[in-house]
Amino acid sequence: MTPAVSPVLNYKYGFSKPENYFFKSKKGLSSRVVEEISSHKSEPDWMRQFRLDSLKVFQAKTLPTWGGDLSGINFDEIYYYIKPIRDKAGSWAELPEEIKNTYDRLGIPEAEKKFLGGVSAQYESEVVYKSIQNTLSKKGVVFLDMDSGLKEYPELVKQYFGTLIPPADNKFSALNSAVWSGGSFVYVPKGVKVELPLQAYFRINAANMGQFERTLIIAEEGSFVHYVEGCTAPVYSTDSLHSAVVEIFVKKGARVRYTTIQNWSQNVYNLVTKRMRVEEEGLGEWIDGNLGSKLTMKYPSVYLMGKGARGEVLSIAYAGKNQHQDAGGKAIHFAPHTTSKITSKSVSTNGGRTSYRGLIQMFPSALGSKTKVVCDALLIDEKSRSDTYPTMDIRLNDVVVEHEATVSKIGDEQLFYLMSRGLTKADSEAMIVNGFIEPIVKELPLEYAVELNRLIQLEMEGSVG
Amino acid sequence: MILYTMAEKTDNIILIDKLSKNQKFDVHDRENKIFIIFLTGKKDHQGQVSIIIKGKSAKVQILGLIIGSKNQKLNLFTLQDHQQKESISDLLIKSVLFDNAKFYYEGLIKIAPLAQKSNAYQKNQNLLMSANAWADSRPKLEILANDVRCTHGATVGKIDPEILYYLKTRGLSDKSASMLVIDGFFRVVLDRIPDKQLAEKLQQKLNQKIRMLL
């Protein structure tokens, strides 16, 4: 398999590799499974207790009654922890052939060459491969998988872990807190600017396996980091569950940008809780692309805690056949002169459904704050559906709050014009859709932008009828 | 509820000055209706105004003029339910909130799969006159047809201090400057009412109330 083959083309039909595991927990969830995971990872007592407490919260909480249809999830049919190979490989060459093949098909070695940033790839539940630039560690930047983070920086992890998204936040954050494995731990010291994006690739490759990665990013005063997370997954016949928790702390004057392109296979429930806490003059940015999965429920949020803090959410959702993308963003203003902006672009085609769901909340302490929410939706055919559910809860008057949304189809005149120039209908539609999401795509690292455009081109080919 | 019918029978204007549960209005083929939600009293209000567009090529306007004050709680739900094709519905609801007034607004546009070539608009603007007033706005869309044009928007804010400052440099008092701005804020809605007599009557009522509150 040459890396030149478009990973997108392969994805369309799905591929999977034979399973080869070192350790696999029993199906279903119980305190025994949780204890097993914890002891397998030789975790400190407080983490074991944290997991067990979270399990109780999970069992006590009910599923959300709003959003997408969650009735298809059977929590007893899921493997909560799988460890694929014994040790983590230190370099690309040491990786097992099989895993390398999978990555080749995704074109990742190419990506690695282009980006000299650290690459940490999550195959199954655990990060098995990482290569960190020497320059990163020289600057004091920590970029580890979460398990190693806990081992090497126990005090730091204990101080922040689960404080921004406590287990009791929602049923799925409780589940993640009980069974998490993998994810990234990033620490950027005061004043350090990480120029190259840090990248992690996530993959699911076992039928019925849940993926519960946990990411913690701490950006100290005046620092900057861009974290990129890309997901692709092969297709399976039974439903699988992905439920991540991402906690990000943006200190005074710091800036964190978190980019996700999520492309789970179309049987995955993707239920993720993501939150940033932004302090004085800090800037937190989410760029969130949701293309795959059966159902996504994800609303990255910014908690603007310090004076002059800023938050931005850019969200793209693309729903095809049998897909429901319930995505959006939240901005909660606690401090004076804070600003937020949420931009959402969604495309529904071939019977797919996209829902924008968002929240703007401003407390009386948020004097002089501003927010703007813009949602644009494109409906490709008559079978598809688009919803907008914004909430604006404003508890003071010295603020500026704006929300606007539009829903429309591809303009006949635009299509006619492009087709009169010799383009096929599919190409014209793809071009219009790519233009529609362009404001967000241009914020992506180049190769992600290229992949996204290619993917949409491909998806559009199938939707013309 | 008072029902105004224009002499020419071209426009049906329905004035809703109190809210109740499940107020439903059906709109049929080619009908042209204007609903005015007019709440300026002292009482709390809670209720729904559902416009069910059962006919083709109908035209509906839903206008809202709302003033809240003291500890008033206003709770409004509107529905623009497009069941048939080629209809237009246009909603514009504006509120001015004083003191501790709380306005909760939820608006839903529904476009059924059959309702192709529908246009539906929804706009909610809220002017907060005191630090303790608040507005919670939830404009929602559920669109199940593709050949449609739907937009919605919502804003919450206070009077721009620069506008007030400008007016005051022209010799206006605080009160008359605010009066002027609120008058302009509501005028946009009133201008959409084809019955000029009615529009003027409503404007007088609004001004009276605002003069009392400022």
Side-chain angles (χ1 to χ4, degrees), chain A residues 25-26 29-39 52 55:
Chain A
S25 69
K26 270 173 63 179
L29 196 54
S30 64
S31 54
R32 235 186 95 191
V33 169
V34 171
E35 295 241 19
E36 232 173 61
I37 295 172
S38 191
S39 76
L52 289 169
L55 178 66

Side-chain angles (χ1 to χ4, degrees), chain A residues 156-168:
Chain A
L156 212 50
V157 172
K158 196 176 174 183
Q159 190 188 337
Y160 290 97
F161 197 94
T163 56
L164 188 52
I165 305 175

Side-chain angles (χ1 to χ4, degrees), chain A residues 271-311:
Chain A
L271 311 164
V272 174
T273 312
K274 287 181 164 177
R275 200 167 291 166
M276 267 195 220
R277 184 195 155 98
V278 188
E279 288 175 16
E280 207 177 315
E281 302 291 331
L283 170 59
E285 299 165 290
W286 294 106
I287 297 169
D288 202 52
N290 299 299
L291 291 111
S293 86
K294 175 182 196 160
L295 168 67
T296 292
M297 285 171 72
K298 178 163 45 155
Y299 324 98
S301 51
V302 282
Y303 281 50
L304 304 169
M305 309 300 294
K307 195 176 164 185
R310 288 180 291 156

Side-chain angles (χ1 to χ4, degrees), chain A residues 379-409, chain B residues 116 128-131 133-158:
Chain A
L379 279 160
I380 305 295
D381 55 41
E382 67 276 11
K383 289 178 290 182
S384 305
R385 169 172 180 174
S386 170
D387 311 311
T388 313
Y389 304 107
T391 297
M392 275 152 280
D393 184 356
I394 311 300
R395 309 205 180 163
L396 74 166
N397 75 328
D398 186 16
V399 293
V400 181
V401 178
E402 290 172 66
H403 168 91
E404 52 189 79
T406 61
V407 179
S408 57
K409 65 164 192 168
Chain B
Q116 291 288 16
L128 304 181
M129 299 301 293
S130 110
W134 63 262
D136 188 341
S137 182
R138 303 177 183 215
K140 301 178 178 182
L141 303 172
E142 289 185 356
I143 316 294
L144 282 80
N146 72 318
D147 191 4
V148 298
R149 177 89 195 144
C150 296
T151 68
H152 71 181
T155 60
V156 183
K158 61 170 185 175

Side-chain angles (χ1 to χ4, degrees), chain B:
Chain B
M1 198 195 313
I2 322 152
L3 189 82
Y4 287 85
T5 311
M6 295 284 287
E8 308 90 62
K9 299 263 182 214
T10 50
D11 288 306
N12 280 315
I13 300 180
I14 294 124
L15 192 73
I16 300 161
D17 60 4
K18 54 174 162 294
L19 299 180
S20 60
K21 256 191 185 173
N22 291 322
Q23 278 186 86
K24 252 189 210 163
F25 301 93
D26 290 348
V27 178
H28 302 102
D29 277 3
R30 271 176 290 281
E31 274 185 339
N32 187 348
K33 280 192 173 169
I34 298 177
F35 299 87
I36 305 169
I37 300 164
F38 191 79
L39 305 172
T40 57
K42 289 181 200 154
K43 278 187 276 177
D44 288 353
H45 287 282
Q46 180 168 4
Q48 296 162 316
V49 176
S50 302
I51 314 294
I52 318 294
I53 304 173
K54 292 187 165 165
K56 289 175 209 161
S57 309
K59 251 178 135 173
V60 177
Q61 280 208 64
I62 302 124
L63 304 173
L65 297 153
I66 294 164
I67 298 174
S69 61
K70 303 279 163 26
N71 289 314
Q72 225 175 338
K73 284 191 181 66
L74 301 160
N75 205 322
L76 171 64
F77 176 86
T78 62
L79 172 67
Q80 293 152 264
D81 189 355
H82 285 250
Q83 300 185 343
Q84 281 296 333
K85 58 185 179 185
E86 289 158 15
S87 291
I88 298 172
S89 72
D90 192 352
L91 174 142
L92 176 62
I93 288 175
K94 293 200 175 199
S95 82
V96 178
L97 304 168
F98 295 84
D99 309 323
N100 299 310
K102 290 177 172 46
F103 178 42
Y104 177 92
Y105 171 67
E106 191 175 329
L108 176 62
I109 293 178
K110 261 179 148 170
I111 310 276
L114 269 178
Q116 291 288 16
K117 300 204 189 303
S118 294
N119 285 11
Y121 308 99
Q122 185 190 49
K123 197 170 193 177
N124 168 230
Q125 295 187 308
N126 307 291
L127 200 51
L128 304 181
M129 299 301 293
S130 110
N132 295 320
W134 63 262
D136 188 341
S137 182
R138 303 177 183 215
K140 301 178 178 182
L141 303 172
E142 289 185 356
I143 316 294
L144 282 80
N146 72 318
D147 191 4
V148 298
R149 177 89 195 144
C150 296
T151 68
H152 71 181
T155 60
V156 183
K158 61 170 185 175
I159 296 179
D160 187 339
E162 276 173 41
I163 293 176
L164 277 186
Y165 177 76
Y166 173 79
L167 291 172
K168 286 199 289 193
T169 64
R170 301 281 138 170
L172 267 69
S173 67
D174 247 332
K175 189 173 166 173
S176 40
S178 298
M179 269 303 290
L180 200 60
V181 174
I182 296 172
D183 187 67
F185 180 73
F186 279 139
R187 184 75 62 96
V188 180
V189 185
L190 292 164
D191 281 349
R192 291 202 190 177
I193 301 171
D195 181 344
K196 292 300 159 208
Q197 255 180 318
L198 173 64
E200 202 171 310
K201 227 168 94 187
L202 296 178
Q203 188 176 18
Q204 275 167 12
K205 265 193 155 177
L206 290 169
N207 285 347
Q208 222 175 1
K209 178 85 184 182
I210 291 159
R211 213 169 289 133
M212 233 169 64
L213 290 168
L214 275 172

